[in-house]
Amino acid sequence: MTARIMIVEDEPAIQQMIAFTIVQAGYKPICACDAEEAMNHIHGALPDLILLDWMLPKMSGIEFARKLRGHSRTQRIPIIMLTARSDENDKVSALEMGADDYVSKPFSPRELIARIKAVLRRRAPETLDEAVVIDGLMFDPVNHRVTAGGGGITLGPTEYRLLHFLMTHADRVYSRAQLLDRVWGDHVFVEERTVDVHIRRLRKALGTVGKEELIKTVRGAGYCFSVNADSEPDAL
Ligand code: CA
């Protein structure tokens, strides 16, 4: 899955330079000039990471970051603060407020991409092209293959993204709304029961190699990918 990187920056030249760097690195940029425009995008789809300028017109970057951290839907979006300020206190307050990292202007494209990669690795591993192996089930994003015990599994595009997300976030429970946000990128127009339909298809496909039990239904909460047998999967 191509990572969607939101750039919230009011200076057009800097915004364009960052967007160009993002595209060169293989990510998808989403540009906004201020917090309000950013919020409009976020209402539609959650980005995988936000590059947030500190000095913005109207609501400052730090206030906007605080606002995002204050809402359950947006509180886990990784944030890298961009600033011309190199004051140690600013850095500390950005990190205390919950920013994942902090980049001082001027920065090189290489430095910016290295910081983005490091944050995505920690916070959004489903956006990386790294193979994941859990309980003999291997997800290989580079070759677009899912295998177990020498056998391959054929998945539809949604099941493929869903499995990738679940395997890179194993042992954590996600609600249907969270899965819509993270896998579909759309929590407004897609109904929650759509998630159940695709989970059912995914389990069926995993069943062909005896791995269907890796997806657990957690009653009243959602779904979880786990090798532990303590949460009993029930039939949907
Ligand atoms: Ca600015």
Side-chain angles (χ1 to χ4, degrees):
M1 189 178 105
T2 308
R4 291 159 301 173
I5 313 288
M6 173 172 276
I7 305 156
V8 191
E9 167 65 70
D10 58 314
E11 286 166 64
I14 299 179
Q15 190 193 82
Q16 279 171 24
M17 184 274 282
I18 297 174
F20 179 77
T21 303
I22 297 288
V23 171
Q24 293 291 103
Y27 304 127
K28 184 174 184 281
I30 303 152
C31 296
C33 296
D34 56 34
E36 192 184 344
E37 194 185 350
M39 215 51 221
N40 287 339
H41 285 296
I42 292 170
H43 281 312
L46 289 185
D48 294 300
L49 185 146
I50 300 177
L51 297 173
L52 181 55
D53 186 28
W54 187 300
M55 301 292 279
L56 289 171
K58 294 175 272 183
M59 185 182 280
S60 76
I62 201 98
E63 272 178 84
F64 184 45
R66 199 172 287 126
K67 186 178 165 188
L68 293 170
R69 290 290 182 253
H71 290 90
S72 62
R73 182 170 168 257
T74 55
Q75 70 184 359
R76 287 185 187 81
I77 305 174
I79 297 172
I80 297 177
M81 295 294 301
L82 307 176
T83 179
R85 302 153 78 152
S86 54
D87 190 324
E88 186 74 8
N89 288 331
D90 287 348
K91 184 171 181 173
V92 170
S93 56
L95 297 174
E96 275 179 356
M97 175 280 313
D100 294 83
D101 204 351
Y102 178 104
V103 182
S104 301
K105 292 175 186 174
F107 46 81
S108 71
R110 272 183 67 192
E111 182 190 2
L112 182 66
I113 295 303
R115 301 289 189 107
I116 290 173
K117 261 190 194 148
V119 172
L120 287 176
R121 184 174 305 268
R122 263 197 336 266
R123 306 284 309 280
E126 77 278 12
T127 61
L128 303 174
D129 277 343
E130 289 175 0
V132 192
V133 185
I134 298 175
D135 195 35
L137 180 68
M138 181 161 93
F139 191 103
D140 175 1
V142 172
N143 298 304
H144 212 84
R145 276 164 56 95
V146 181
T147 52
I153 301 169
T154 308
L155 295 173
T158 304
E159 287 73 47
Y160 180 85
R161 288 202 310 276
L162 183 57
L163 181 63
H164 195 195
F165 180 80
L166 290 171
M167 286 184 76
T168 49
H169 296 79
D171 297 317
R172 272 170 280 177
V173 179
Y174 287 89
S175 70
R176 289 164 180 83
Q178 286 171 325
L179 289 172
L180 285 177
D181 256 338
R182 301 293 297 271
V183 178
W184 277 258
D186 186 340
H187 69 119
V188 182
F189 297 108
V190 184
E191 288 184 62
E192 292 199 358
R193 66 170 176 227
T194 302
V195 176
D196 301 334
V197 171
H198 289 278
I199 288 279
R200 202 180 308 139
R201 286 187 197 155
L202 180 55
R203 277 190 177 135
K204 197 174 168 197
L206 291 174
T208 62
V209 289
K211 296 292 180 191
E212 73 275 21
E213 80 288 354
L214 287 171
I215 297 176
K216 311 284 194 281
T217 301
V218 183
R219 270 182 204 286
Y223 295 102
C224 173
F225 190 96
S226 177
V227 292
N228 300 322
D230 45 13
S231 50
E232 201 55 17
D234 54 11
L236 281 166

